[in-house]
Amino acid sequence: MSRCATVLRLLLSALIVSRVLGFQRAVPARGPAYPACRSATVLRIASGIRAAGPEKPGGGDPDAPPDAKSLGYLLGAAALWGTYPTCVKLLYASGPAIDPTIVVLARFLIMAGIALTALAATRRDGDRAGETSMMTSSRPMPWDDQLERRVPSSIYVAALELGLLGGLGTLCQTVSLSQISALTAAVLYSTVNVFTPAAAAVAGATPSERNVGARTWGGCLLALFASAWALIPDTAGASLALPPAPFFGGAEGVMLLSALFYAATKVRLSSHLKVHGADELATGRLVAQAGCAAAGLGLADETSAVHELLPTNVGGLGETLSQVTEEFGAWTAAIQPAQLALILASAVLSGVAATWFQSKGQERGSAPKAQVWFALTPLFSAFWAYLILGDAISYHQLSGAGILLFAIFYSNLEDTPSIEKLDV
């Protein structure tokens, strides 16, 4: 029977739920005006993006420790991402097994539906309050200028880039997890703690973004060690069994590629947030991810829909749309309501909400600084598993948490600048 029917049902559920879950957004507070000398310094340091088009105020020093508000968003994103493993475990324990690719596509479609509805609702509130959307206020620029500053003036292009990077990261992660153990995958994915500062040093939009301080590098390296250490089982003689090198052509290499895509997403997000709004970027990114996933799975015919709808003379089943719809009801009848609720919960918590928290948290800081806080995600996963599933917290997880806290403290000490600070 057709598995694509589940996607239709879940998307319909998302549209209903999104009407109930409409996020209320306060009018964004504008940061205090900078003194003239400070403004000139920021203009000269960040000339790569400021010279060409609208930039949001209050960007601040990208290598400075996050303020209290940004810190709350970063911790919120890490905590929400940490709910995903628990949701997945509950999903497969609550009923018959569901194809993971269908779950991924369904989550992306639900996330896009909820985000679009929430953004439309907040935009209506903003219009009534006299706000101007950044989606309509940005003026077009010559492509040469956009390439020079490394940030497109069109928010649609920016969202498409983030959606492609995030979608490729999810695709690589899904493919790799189907071929290697979860423990090996988790260890390999922890390399995102090093890939993020490396990607920032290469692909940052401004000199200040590309200048990753020594303490930030040290904090990310410590986070990599802490993440790997926390994954070691407590059993006597246990160790992390990594595959022998070279392994970059197999599923292990695909997981490393996934970590690289996710690191690039965080770096490019910080760059785009200097010009575009966090709400619009988060929504556009989710819509682009859903489109990429739908296109990719459609080309691979993961839902079997193409095979069923194609005429028999070209190798299909020649079914009508009404027949596929009838099969939809029969196939989804086996899915428990609890499973549908868990898919919706994972789409809202680790999907829409976490993406929005990430965008808000990275508005005022660099991706490497944010990554040190995002490294807490595995520890939040262990906490949710302990709280909801009753899983025990191991010695390695506790000691890994201590190392991570030290990494955060170390990385947030003031860095010795490696570029000249301009005094005007």
Side-chain angles (χ1 to χ4, degrees), residues 97-417:
I98 306 175
D99 190 330
T101 58
I102 301 300
V103 174
V104 170
L105 177 57
R107 288 184 72 248
F108 279 177
L109 290 174
I110 293 170
M111 288 153 55
I114 293 176
L116 280 172
T117 303
L119 182 64
T122 55
R123 281 291 157 260
R124 285 194 297 269
D125 294 342
D127 291 341
R128 286 194 292 268
E131 279 188 61
T132 301
S133 171
M134 299 260 321
M135 297 182 76
T136 58
S137 63
S138 296
R139 62 178 183 273
M141 293 178 52
W143 274 105
D144 290 343
D145 294 340
Q146 296 182 54
L147 292 175
E148 183 179 358
R149 74 174 182 178
R150 303 190 181 191
V151 178
S153 59
S154 170
I155 194 169
Y156 301 106
V157 176
L160 179 60
E161 178 192 352
L162 295 175
L164 282 172
L165 290 172
L168 288 171
T170 301
L171 175 63
C172 291
Q173 190 177 55
T174 302
V175 170
S176 179
L177 282 170
S178 66
Q179 303 177 44
I180 60 177
S181 69
L183 179 59
T184 300
V187 175
L188 292 171
Y189 179 75
S190 66
T191 55
V192 70
N193 293 296
V194 175
F195 285 154
T196 300
V202 173
T206 65
S208 58
E209 286 185 21
R210 294 191 291 274
N211 176 49
V212 181
R215 291 190 183 278
T216 302
W217 269 108
C220 289
L221 288 170
L222 281 173
L224 170 63
F225 173 77
S227 299
W229 174 264
L231 292 167
I232 299 177
D234 282 350
T235 54
S239 62
L240 292 177
L242 291 178
F247 57 84
F248 296 101
E252 294 84 1
V254 175
M255 180 56 72
L256 290 175
L257 193 60
S258 170
L260 182 59
F261 279 129
Y262 281 127
T265 302
K266 294 168 184 175
V267 172
R268 293 300 293 157
L269 175 62
S270 288
S271 298
H272 289 308
L273 284 169
K274 301 298 187 297
V275 176
H276 303 295
D279 295 349
E280 292 88 347
L281 273 179
T283 301
R285 173 183 170 185
L286 293 173
V287 173
Q289 284 183 174
C292 293
L297 294 179
L299 290 175
D301 197 20
E302 285 289 342
T303 63
S304 300
V306 176
H307 176 65
E308 293 173 353
L309 293 173
L310 281 175
T312 55
N313 58 355
V314 293
L317 297 180
E319 295 184 0
T320 64
L321 187 59
S322 61
Q323 289 176 311
V324 173
T325 303
E326 290 176 3
E327 293 177 358
F328 156 77
W331 187 79
T332 56
I335 299 179
Q336 302 298 318
Q339 290 182 301
L340 293 175
L342 286 166
I343 292 176
L344 288 172
S346 69
V348 172
L349 296 174
S350 60
V352 179
T355 301
W356 185 79
F357 271 67
Q358 180 191 10
S359 295
K360 300 296 288 187
Q362 287 191 229
E363 273 188 310
R364 296 175 178 268
S366 67
K369 284 289 186 183
Q371 179 55 46
V372 180
W373 295 95
F374 292 154
L376 292 170
T377 300
L379 300 181
F380 278 114
S381 298
F383 171 75
W384 295 122
Y386 167 78
L387 189 66
I388 298 174
L389 302 177
D391 292 354
I393 296 180
S394 68
Y395 159 76
H396 284 88
Q397 289 171 336
L398 286 174
S399 54
I403 300 173
L404 268 176
L405 292 176
F406 176 76
I408 291 171
F409 169 78
Y410 178 80
S411 67
N412 281 286
L413 294 175
E414 185 175 358
D415 272 317
T416 301

Side-chain angles (χ1 to χ4, degrees), residues 72-89:
Y73 285 127
L74 296 176
L75 287 174
L80 288 166
W81 281 328
T83 63
Y84 183 65
T86 297
C87 284
V88 171
K89 289 182 180 180

